[in-house]
Amino acid sequence: MMRIFAESRSRLSLWPGLVLSCSLLLAGFLAAPDAQADESAWPDIRDSVFGDREIADAAGVVALETPYRAHDAAVVPIKITALIPQDAERSITKITLIVDENPAPVVGTFRFFPQNGIASLSTRVRVNAYTNIRAIAETSDGKLFMAANYVKAAGGCSAPAGKDHKLAMSRLGQMRFRQIGEWRAGEPSEAQVMVSHPNYSGMQTDQLTQLWIPADYVRTIELSLNGKPVLAFDGDISMSENPSLRFFLKPEEGATLTARVTDTEERSFTESWTIKLEPGS
């Protein structure tokens, strides 16, 4: 009996060490995704999109804001802030938005024009797995600059649409426009254009029939002010449903902002709004 008791005490004396070792192992495992983002997909994406062009750090050119942990992987907010003005000497002509681990990594390309005044942009994207999100800006002198953030989100590309198919299709192509803040003639002012479109990724199923829904998403958005281009988007499945763009333009009283949208089913939608130089809603 005494020998059994002694052996039991000996085994129990090992537990603190075992618990500590397991705790350290678990902590290391949980911390691993935060320690370093997976960069394995980026070299191939870079070669495919930019070839052998040099890409510098974006400090002083653009800043990228993303949530560290997204609340909804199907609607992840992205904000890109331009740190240089749109002037004759130097301007941002293009920003390419990339989500490394998405099935279609290139969310899209946004083209900017002098009519912007500021080449800043906010939108929403799908994120399919823990990943780096990158904004690569191209300036008028042909140079590339990259900002990147690591984002924790998963399943965004296959997440069910927010509305049932019949309701989504009944609202297809409807648009809304919003003036944000004070608007003054010739000064960069913030606006938002929203497009009603389910932006099906081809990876989702109908919640009633459980059948796969074919890809059907917005391919291009073109915004112009009195016929002059303001912003152009060319994208793929990684843009969230009901695409939303917040951007800047230099307004004029009574000018007309026009949005032209096309999708992968060759549908076209057009909407126009008259600019009013008064506090936005």
Side-chain angles (χ1 to χ4, degrees):
M1 178 69 70
M2 292 299 293
R3 185 169 65 85
I4 295 172
F5 179 71
E7 288 178 354
S8 299
R9 287 190 59 186
S10 178
R11 291 192 190 101
L12 287 171
S13 68
L14 296 175
W15 274 102
L18 289 171
V19 171
L20 178 60
S21 298
C22 291
S23 298
L24 290 173
L25 181 62
L26 179 61
F29 175 77
L30 294 175
D34 298 335
Q36 185 175 1
D38 185 1
E39 294 278 347
S40 60
W42 170 237
D44 287 339
I45 298 169
R46 173 181 173 147
D47 290 346
S48 175
V49 179
F50 303 104
D52 59 359
R53 299 174 65 186
E54 180 182 354
I55 303 178
D57 187 270
V61 179
V62 293
L64 175 64
E65 293 181 40
T66 57
Y68 176 62
R69 185 184 296 276
H71 295 294
D72 186 345
V75 190
V76 179
I78 305 291
K79 182 177 181 180
I80 303 167
T81 303
L83 304 178
I84 62 173
Q86 297 290 86
D87 58 34
E89 293 183 6
R90 190 186 187 209
S91 62
I92 294 171
T93 59
K94 185 192 305 183
I95 291 179
T96 302
L97 187 58
I98 292 173
V99 181
D100 283 9
E101 298 300 324
N102 274 11
V106 180
V107 177
T109 299
F110 302 88
R111 298 180 186 276
F112 298 87
F113 302 89
Q115 194 64 33
N116 289 113
I118 302 173
S120 294
L121 176 81
S122 296
T123 190
R124 304 174 304 197
V125 303
R126 294 178 168 124
V127 176
N128 209 51
Y130 286 18
T131 186
N132 272 320
I133 293 181
R134 306 174 192 270
I136 297 92
E138 181 171 343
T139 51
S140 52
D141 54 9
K143 295 180 180 179
L144 299 175
F145 302 87
M146 182 175 71
N149 289 341
Y150 184 59
V151 175
K152 286 185 168 187
C157 292
S158 58
K163 298 179 178 64
D164 68 72
H165 178 71
K166 182 178 288 188
L167 179 59
M169 298 309 287
S170 72
R171 299 177 178 178
L172 194 71
Q174 295 181 12
M175 294 183 235
R176 288 190 293 161
F177 166 66
R178 186 163 68 104
Q179 295 183 202
I180 302 171
E182 300 282 342
W183 279 45
R184 297 183 178 85
E187 296 184 11
S189 304
E190 190 172 14
Q192 182 178 26
V193 169
M194 294 156 281
V195 183
S196 182
H197 200 292
N199 251 33
Y200 291 129
S201 66
M203 299 174 62
Q204 299 151 304
T205 57
D206 187 292
Q207 296 302 290
L208 296 177
T209 66
Q210 297 301 305
L211 297 175
W212 289 105
I213 303 172
D216 182 357
Y217 55 91
V218 168
R219 173 66 77 181
T220 66
I221 301 174
E222 298 176 343
L223 304 174
S224 61
L225 189 66
N226 281 352
K228 297 180 180 179
V230 172
L231 181 67
F233 167 73
D234 187 356
D236 213 299
I237 66 169
S238 292
M239 181 68 82
S240 294
E241 68 175 303
N242 301 323
S244 171
L245 302 179
R246 286 179 67 153
F247 59 97
F248 285 82
L249 73 163
K250 293 190 288 188
E252 304 169 15
E253 178 66 43
T256 299
L257 179 71
T258 300
R260 293 183 176 86
V261 177
T262 63
D263 66 16
T264 51
E265 294 300 306
E266 303 301 327
R267 307 182 193 96
S268 295
F269 313 97
T270 303
E271 188 67 74
S272 295
W273 305 272
T274 300
I275 299 298
K276 296 182 180 180
L277 298 184
E278 58 185 24
S281 58

